[in-house]
Amino acid sequence: MVSRRTVFTGGALAVGAAAASSPWWSSLTVPSASASPLTCELALVNDTDSGSVNAYVTGREFGTDRMMLLRAGQGPYYIEEPGGPNTPLPVDCAIPLGSPGSTTTVTLPRMYGARVYFVRESTLDFYVNPGPALVEPALHNEADTNFGKIVSFCEFTFNDVQLFANISYVDLVTALPIGMRLQGDGDHSVAPLPHGAVEAIAAELEAQSGRDGQPWGDLVMHGDSGILRVMSPQNVMAPHVGQPNMPFAGYWEGYADQVWDVYRGTDLRIDLQGGRGVITGRVNGDTLVFDDGSTFSKPGSWDVFTCNHGPFTNNPGDNDSKKGALARLAAAFNRSTIHNGADQPNGPGIGDYYQNSITNHFARAVHANSPIGYAFPYDDVTPDNTPDQSGVAYDGNPSRWTLTVT
């Protein structure tokens, strides 16, 4: 079983990298193949109208944990100890995609905590910190040298079990959409954001600011040529954590009080799914206590948006039951279904998501304007017998992984 923590943060990124979130992808199953191949063909398709698109592949080598970047036509570059903090990456690891309509192929080795970046009409700046640690683009930070560039990325892990790929909108949606196809024992495709989706998401969030006075419109990042990207709330909050002017401070607290009041006298039932049974909990004092021994304190705004803080911290030592409960609680909060849905996640249907005035409006806007997508950590949590909406693909015997930038 692979979590987005494994996909993205197999080793901690350096300070300055984009924020990482940590769900538990408990709805997914491990393929039956005894071992995945050592390599897979990675096909990079330029479906834009520009002849200047570059790709970068970053991650850690499976088996050695060394941080590396792939290079076109030659072996990986392994980062080396720098002379000091924020040392520019000393080699060019850009993979040019060629003219519109062309396909560039590279050999993908087993690696984890990995990303494939795309940038249009430019190159990306990477830095190295002592450790050594790679500093990747912090696209929410206006001081980052990559901020004004048109950038997108997807995440993946390729280990001895499977290749697991994710077009994630947990951190942002961008004006450079990606679609993918993973072929192997199966053949699975994930559609990119449709034309105009980023503009529609931005317009909805700006309108939401007018309705509730919250800084949803501040999630929209503009460049010289228009909208660059729309960031998730957690990335806008991150630079301000612990500060009195933190965006969305107090946003979820009243809703959490309402939920806790409901379950002081009513059972909350969490189906762990996959045949793992149902656990039942009630609020005792200020703590939600389940009959398997799992406990959760009342979450705050930073906890809900990140799904990896406070009571929603994904601790490696927690048992599978608590991790399963955490995923379903965090999803129910972000979708604002938990205050009137005592059976999670199988009680509320998809049509019930985001109907409360206090909800994750970023996730609401993303889902309203895209055919599929992963808009917050644990967005893969779905009711039984419901099609996946999270935009992931995985295969135990991958032969070709195609990424199309549009």
Side-chain angles (χ1 to χ4, degrees):
M1 186 176 298
V2 177
S3 72
R4 188 172 181 265
R5 176 184 292 275
T6 307
V7 170
F8 184 58
T9 60
L13 290 179
V15 173
S21 312
S22 308
W24 179 262
W25 284 5
S26 51
S27 60
L28 301 178
T29 57
V30 173
S32 58
S34 58
S36 68
L38 294 175
T39 62
C40 174
E41 184 179 62
L42 172 60
L44 305 169
V45 180
N46 182 359
D47 193 34
T48 75
D49 59 1
S50 171
S52 179
V53 179
N54 288 295
Y56 296 81
V57 183
T58 71
R60 292 187 179 271
E61 184 177 56
F62 180 74
T64 70
D65 296 336
R66 291 186 297 175
M67 192 76 201
M68 65 181 186
L69 295 91
L70 301 190
R71 293 180 290 179
Q74 52 189 317
Y77 171 74
Y78 298 93
I79 65 170
E80 301 174 350
E81 189 67 29
N86 292 315
T87 298
L89 190 73
V91 298
D92 180 9
C93 292
I95 303 173
L97 263 59
S99 60
S102 63
T103 299
T104 302
T105 60
V106 296
T107 299
L108 188 70
R110 290 178 177 176
M111 54 196 299
Y112 72 93
R115 280 182 167 178
V116 181
Y117 286 91
F118 295 96
V119 58
R120 176 182 170 127
E121 310 294 345
S122 188
T123 57
L124 288 179
D125 300 324
F126 291 86
Y127 301 88
V128 183
N129 275 345
L134 185 69
V135 181
E136 303 197 30
L139 298 173
H140 62 286
N141 183 357
E142 294 188 20
D144 190 290
T145 57
N146 298 294
F147 178 83
K149 301 174 183 179
I150 303 174
V151 185
S152 60
F153 61 84
C154 66
E155 302 167 351
F156 72 96
T157 277
F158 181 24
N159 58 23
D160 58 343
V161 175
Q162 63 184 344
L163 194 159
F164 186 101
N166 165 34
I167 297 177
S168 172
Y169 306 131
V170 168
D171 294 304
L172 54 87
V173 292
T174 174
L176 192 62
I178 302 170
M180 72 177 176
R181 180 183 182 187
L182 180 58
Q183 297 166 277
D185 286 339
D187 190 340
H188 185 68
S189 295
V190 179
L193 282 173
H195 179 71
V198 173
E199 290 80 5
I201 292 167
E204 173 52 34
L205 291 174
E206 289 167 344
Q208 183 61 41
S209 287
R211 290 191 287 266
D212 65 11
Q214 294 290 335
W216 300 104
D218 293 347
L219 304 178
V220 182
M221 305 295 179
H222 295 271
D224 293 339
S225 59
I227 296 171
L228 294 169
R229 63 192 70 94
V230 181
M231 304 302 300
S232 71
Q234 62 171 319
N235 275 330
V236 174
M237 295 171 73
H240 304 277
V241 172
Q243 301 299 315
N245 62 340
M246 183 176 77
F248 298 102
Y251 180 75
W252 286 102
E253 275 71 358
Y255 182 80
D257 289 341
Q258 178 186 357
V259 171
W260 251 232
D261 287 344
V262 168
Y263 295 110
R264 292 186 194 280
T266 302
D267 286 344
L268 173 61
R269 294 171 291 275
I270 304 289
D271 190 334
L272 301 176
Q273 300 178 285
R276 294 182 294 170
V278 177
I279 60 174
T280 301
R282 284 202 181 194
V283 172
N284 183 359
D286 285 330
T287 305
L288 177 59
V289 182
F290 287 94
D291 55 11
D292 71 333
S294 299
T295 61
F296 296 89
S297 58
K298 190 189 305 181
S301 295
W302 181 238
D303 310 334
V304 174
F305 280 129
T306 64
C307 297
N308 188 35
H309 190 266
F312 294 154
T313 302
N314 193 323
N315 295 306
D318 288 341
N319 60 37
D320 283 353
S321 179
K322 181 165 185 178
K323 289 176 179 177
L326 187 160
R328 286 150 184 81
L329 283 172
F333 262 91
N334 275 275
R335 295 165 177 160
S336 61
T337 61
I338 192 169
H339 67 289
N340 59 2
D343 291 285
Q344 294 288 341
N346 289 320
I350 291 174
D352 299 315
Y353 297 172
Y354 313 116
Q355 297 303 302
N356 197 60
S357 59
I358 300 298
T359 195
N360 186 335
H361 288 288
F362 170 82
R364 177 182 63 78
V366 168
H367 281 290
N369 291 282
S370 62
I372 196 166
Y374 196 81
F376 65 89
Y378 302 115
D379 202 5
D380 65 305
V381 171
T382 55
D384 290 336
N385 303 314
T386 300
D388 171 65
Q389 299 183 85
S390 64
V392 302
Y394 53 100
D395 198 290
N397 186 32
S399 57
R400 183 179 175 90
W401 182 32
T402 301
L403 295 175
T404 300
V405 59
T406 66

